[in-house]
Amino acid sequence: MKNAGETRQNGETAVLCARAEELCRRACGEITATDFLTPGEQRIVFEHMAGERRRLFFWGGYTGSERRIAFFMPEWLAPDGDAGIGLFAKEREELFLSKLEELSFSDELYNFICPMILRGSGFEELSHRDWLGALMALGLKRNVLGDIAVNGSDRNTWIFVKKSSAGFIMDELHRAGRDTVSAEAALRLPESFSVLREYQEIHVTVASMRLDGVVKALCGLSREDASKLVARGDVSLNCFEEYETDREVQSGDIISVKGFGKYI
């Protein structure tokens, strides 16, 4: 017997899949696109649209973004050679972006996504939570907002939004936390843009790309203990709990292990 949460989740998944099918059908002479999707929602669309992956591209305004829009390409815009490339692999984004650039269609993506620079007074240090809270307080839905990211070159904060919401944000966003703020739309990202992230690089050797073997290496466990973690649902692969120890891990996949951390 399903509980209310499972029923709601299944209903939301069905709506998301139906929307993806509709957008794919419409992408004959033009690019069509969803709202911003969480990594879990991206995986649902990616798996559901397995037969149309050559035309399916995820992008959030910059390479490596977490919250991304699913774009459906007309047949003549779709690149060849994406078979076997994982959903979160950098190579997948590069393949589509290079094809769009080759056909002078890369600017089309900015018809859907608007990068915006967020500025405070300089007297307060505003966190991701402060900015997101201020934007949500305007009555915006989360699916019109992508990542909020700090540019590593100048430390300015950027947000990626649906282009249809950019004007409203510029007009209405005046406060975040206890600070006076503003938002300015950009035609596109500066070439120097790079997201400021802090990683610890780990070098490990694995016998195969099985999930239990990768978890064993990353967490410094025995194969038996790594398998137990997977079996009891303590390991998530690309934002979904994964119970199959022999699931193959691909480049760019995101692995979260309860009590140990998050790995790309």
Side-chain angles (χ1 to χ4, degrees):
M1 188 173 182
K2 294 180 180 179
N3 61 36
E6 289 175 321
T7 301
R8 183 179 67 255
Q9 187 176 37
N10 289 339
E12 291 170 352
T13 297
V15 170
L16 177 60
C17 291
R19 177 61 173 159
E21 291 174 5
E22 177 197 358
L23 290 169
C24 187
R25 285 192 298 269
R26 284 172 41 198
C28 296
E30 62 179 0
I31 298 173
T32 59
T34 64
D35 292 327
F36 281 98
L37 305 176
T38 66
E41 290 169 332
Q42 293 167 41
R43 180 175 169 182
I44 290 170
V45 172
F46 186 72
E47 293 182 350
H48 182 72
M49 303 301 294
E52 297 289 352
R53 284 181 189 167
R54 199 175 76 83
R55 301 171 56 204
L56 179 57
F57 167 53
F58 294 88
W59 194 63
Y62 66 95
T63 298
S65 49
E66 184 171 295
R67 296 181 66 88
R68 302 187 295 180
I69 287 175
F71 293 91
F72 292 91
M73 304 293 174
E75 188 66 35
W76 55 275
L77 261 180
D80 295 316
D82 68 333
I85 301 179
L87 169 61
F88 298 104
K90 183 180 178 181
E91 293 84 354
R92 187 172 182 84
E93 286 189 335
E94 290 174 343
L95 180 69
F96 276 87
L97 288 171
S98 61
K99 178 68 173 183
L100 290 169
E101 181 107 10
E102 174 191 330
L103 298 177
S104 301
F105 264 79
S106 53
D107 285 343
E108 289 290 311
L109 299 178
Y110 288 98
N111 289 331
F112 299 91
I113 297 177
C114 179
M116 304 188 74
I117 187 167
L118 303 174
R119 291 191 174 92
S121 66
F123 295 104
E124 295 281 342
E125 187 172 342
L126 296 171
S127 67
H128 181 285
R129 182 181 299 234
D130 291 325
W131 286 115
L132 182 59
L135 289 161
M136 298 297 288
L138 299 179
L140 293 166
K141 292 184 178 180
R142 188 64 180 95
N143 60 10
V144 305
L145 306 173
D147 287 2
I148 299 173
V150 177
N151 183 3
S153 64
D154 59 17
R155 299 279 179 154
N156 283 324
T157 301
W158 290 74
I159 186 168
F160 299 83
V161 306
K162 290 291 291 290
K163 191 169 184 179
S164 55
S165 298
F168 175 78
I169 292 172
M170 284 192 290
D171 290 341
E172 300 298 329
L173 183 65
H174 304 299
R175 294 200 66 81
R178 295 178 299 175
D179 201 8
T180 301
V181 302
S182 64
E184 178 185 341
L187 293 177
R188 58 187 309 147
L189 281 178
E191 290 185 9
S192 61
F193 182 84
S194 63
V195 176
L196 181 64
R197 287 195 177 109
E198 294 183 355
Y199 291 107
Q200 178 185 354
E201 195 166 295
I202 302 173
H203 296 270
V204 296
T205 302
V206 295
S208 72
M209 293 300 285
R210 284 171 50 115
L211 181 60
D212 56 352
V214 174
V215 171
K216 167 186 177 294
L218 290 173
C219 301
L221 302 171
S222 68
R223 175 64 72 91
E224 181 182 1
D225 286 342
S227 297
K228 286 179 179 177
L229 284 175
V230 176
R232 68 170 180 248
D234 286 346
V235 177
S236 294
L237 179 63
N238 297 332
C239 310
F240 286 158
E241 290 178 2
E242 180 56 70
Y243 297 91
E244 300 294 329
T245 57
D246 61 352
R247 175 74 69 179
E248 185 174 349
V249 178
Q250 297 182 334
S251 170
D253 281 352
I254 300 168
I255 299 173
S256 296
V257 185
K258 287 182 183 176
F260 290 89
K262 185 176 183 180
Y263 310 87
I264 300 176

